[in-house]
Amino acid sequence: MKILHTADWHVGKVLKGRPRLDEHRAVLRELVAAARTHDVDAVIVAGDLFDTSAPTPEAQALVLNALMALRGDGRDVVVLAGNHDNPQLLEVYRPVLGKLGLHVIGAFRRPDAGGTLAFTARSGEPVRLAVLPFLSHRYVVRAAEVLTGTAADHNRDYAARISELIGALTAGFHADTVNVVTTHGTLPGGAFGGGEREAQSIFSYYFEPTAFPTVTQYAALGHLHRRQQIPGPCPIWYSGSPLAVDFGEEGNTPGALLVEVTPGRPAVVRELTFGSARRLRTVRGTLEQLEGIEPGDDWLRVIVEEKPRVGLADDVRGLLPGAVDVTLDERFRPVPATRKAGSADRSPRELFREYLTATGRHDEQVASLFDRLYDEVTG
């Protein structure tokens, strides 16, 4: 069977105040086209459909329409919650989308209650698909309690509990079935893409590749935005994000993964690349140097190598309309001012001008504006 593995859509993401729904619409159109072109039997969306737990109606409409398009031609579509998603919202979707043939898992479920899916692929192979949505430290304990029905042992760490849950979800894997696990989390050794939520990606949220049993033929992961394979007892892959989420990811190659798998054999994985989203690029230089840059249609982070002055950022945006983040090179950034002895003897005008000079911000227009405002307040 063929599986299209994708994750980390982050629909609703705003880049420095600039909406990106049109980019997401184009990227998801590429994803649907890939599902049709390669005639896949199933699609796995391994979490972070949305960028926030309270997505806008526009973001929800875009995601739901994409999921329905992926479901076309009778494909099985499996969706799980990531750390940016609202699991309760996905659970609201679950019964409605389930009637339409989509498998949506927002919260942990026992193997016999939807945590392990059993279906026959369009290509005829029997499939066992274990689904584990993102779990925080607090909820991984609750999930273990749901599984065992007994009081949790609070001394066991996060990795041990995740391993326990995956072990339970994969207990029904057999040699004559296609055995796949999908989850959303961090494995040690994974390279960060740059836009992940740091608090839910640190060491205390790691779990080991050994959590996946050797009978697994493919592990479809979400959370790290850079597409990559992780060494382990089976083929373990992060699909990466289908577009660069922020400037920390400008070196990534957005896309998805095409996976071919048959019972008893490790999956064969092929990388697909997408190019419809606007590229994120960092440029730097003086205004004169920036004037010679060809911006194209890229979103730009601009590092200016000049002293600060009023209107500098506006001048940069006038040269480069795609500039969404304008900062000063660290060599030209103002330094903290230090209080000098005898400052009580100087007027507010003198003190303000000393402050501007000491911090590298001196601009006569700013000083004159201060004088005018000071006169208005004290006059």
Side-chain angles (χ1 to χ4, degrees):
M1 68 175 293
K2 293 181 182 179
I3 299 171
L4 185 61
H5 170 199
T6 179
D8 300 291
W9 293 358
H10 289 274
V11 174
K13 174 70 174 179
V14 175
L15 184 66
K16 303 295 182 180
R18 308 290 182 95
R20 304 187 72 188
L21 279 178
D22 287 344
E23 291 179 77
H24 273 110
R25 187 173 291 107
V27 164
L28 294 179
R29 195 178 295 123
E30 277 193 272
L31 186 71
V32 172
R36 292 170 177 165
T37 298
H38 299 285
D39 194 25
V40 301
D41 304 293
V43 179
I44 296 175
V45 187
D48 282 355
L49 289 83
F50 301 105
D51 190 59
T52 172
S53 60
T56 64
E58 293 81 5
Q60 294 185 60
L62 181 53
V63 165
L64 293 176
N65 285 331
L67 294 177
M68 291 304 303
L70 290 170
R71 169 64 179 158
D73 300 322
R75 299 180 194 89
D76 285 282
V77 178
V78 179
V79 179
L80 59 144
N83 61 303
H84 282 251
D85 296 318
N86 184 336
Q88 286 74 32
L89 178 61
L90 265 63
E91 287 296 314
V92 170
Y93 292 156
R94 177 183 170 84
V96 177
L97 295 183
K99 294 288 186 182
L100 301 174
L102 291 93
H103 311 280
V104 179
I105 298 90
F108 173 80
R109 290 182 170 273
R110 294 173 58 95
D112 57 357
T116 303
L117 304 174
F119 59 90
T120 301
R122 291 190 311 161
S123 52
E125 297 96 336
V127 180
R128 298 292 182 273
L129 177 52
V131 185
L132 181 64
F134 174 80
L135 296 176
S136 68
H137 276 276
R138 178 175 57 179
Y139 287 105
V140 77
V141 172
R142 293 186 181 181
E145 291 174 340
V146 169
L147 178 65
T148 62
T150 62
D153 178 6
H154 293 281
N155 292 325
R156 284 183 292 174
D157 61 13
Y158 184 85
R161 292 192 180 280
I162 291 292
S163 181
E164 177 185 353
L165 296 175
I166 291 176
L169 293 171
T170 58
F173 283 7
H174 302 291
D176 59 349
T177 57
V178 172
N179 303 316
V180 179
V181 180
T182 182
T183 188
H184 191 94
T186 310
L187 294 181
F192 283 63
E196 298 85 357
R197 187 174 287 172
E198 184 175 351
Q200 293 168 334
S201 308
I202 56 178
F203 182 76
S204 58
Y205 270 90
Y206 284 10
F207 63 96
E208 298 294 332
T210 51
F212 303 112
T214 55
V215 70
T216 306
Q217 292 158 276
Y218 184 69
L221 273 61
H223 187 50
L224 299 187
H225 296 176
R226 181 174 298 173
R227 190 166 59 253
Q228 59 193 291
Q229 183 176 15
I230 302 295
C234 65
I236 304 170
W237 280 82
Y238 286 97
S239 67
S241 177
L243 82 172
V245 173
D246 66 20
F247 286 101
E249 303 180 10
E250 58 185 277
N252 294 354
T253 304
L257 294 170
L258 180 64
V259 183
E260 295 191 51
V261 58
T262 56
R265 295 185 178 182
V268 176
V269 180
R270 174 183 168 191
E271 301 183 43
L272 305 177
T273 58
F274 297 160
S276 58
R278 295 174 69 170
R279 190 161 69 106
L280 273 59
R281 184 159 58 104
T282 298
V283 297
R284 63 189 309 142
T286 64
L287 279 181
E288 183 178 359
Q289 292 168 331
L290 294 174
E291 192 172 1
I293 290 176
E294 177 55 52
D297 194 40
D298 300 344
W299 293 122
L300 299 177
R301 175 172 57 182
V302 183
I303 302 174
V304 187
E305 297 176 339
E306 291 198 7
K307 290 183 179 180
R309 60 174 172 79
V310 175
L312 179 59
D314 291 335
D315 289 344
V316 171
R317 294 187 179 98
L319 292 173
L320 303 170
V324 295
D325 187 8
V326 180
T327 60
L328 288 174
D329 183 279
E330 59 183 9
R331 295 172 298 165
F332 298 93
R333 291 175 189 169
V335 297
T338 56
R339 186 178 181 86
K340 294 182 179 180
S343 59
D345 300 330
R346 290 188 290 280
S347 70
R349 291 182 175 84
E350 291 173 323
L351 290 172
F352 186 67
R353 281 167 170 76
E354 286 184 10
Y355 166 79
L356 292 176
T357 301
T359 58
R361 291 186 173 99
H362 182 72
D363 187 306
E364 194 55 40
Q365 294 183 59
V366 175
S368 298
L369 177 61
F370 176 84
D371 292 343
R372 182 161 60 84
L373 293 174
Y374 181 73
D375 287 341
E376 290 179 3
V377 171
T378 59

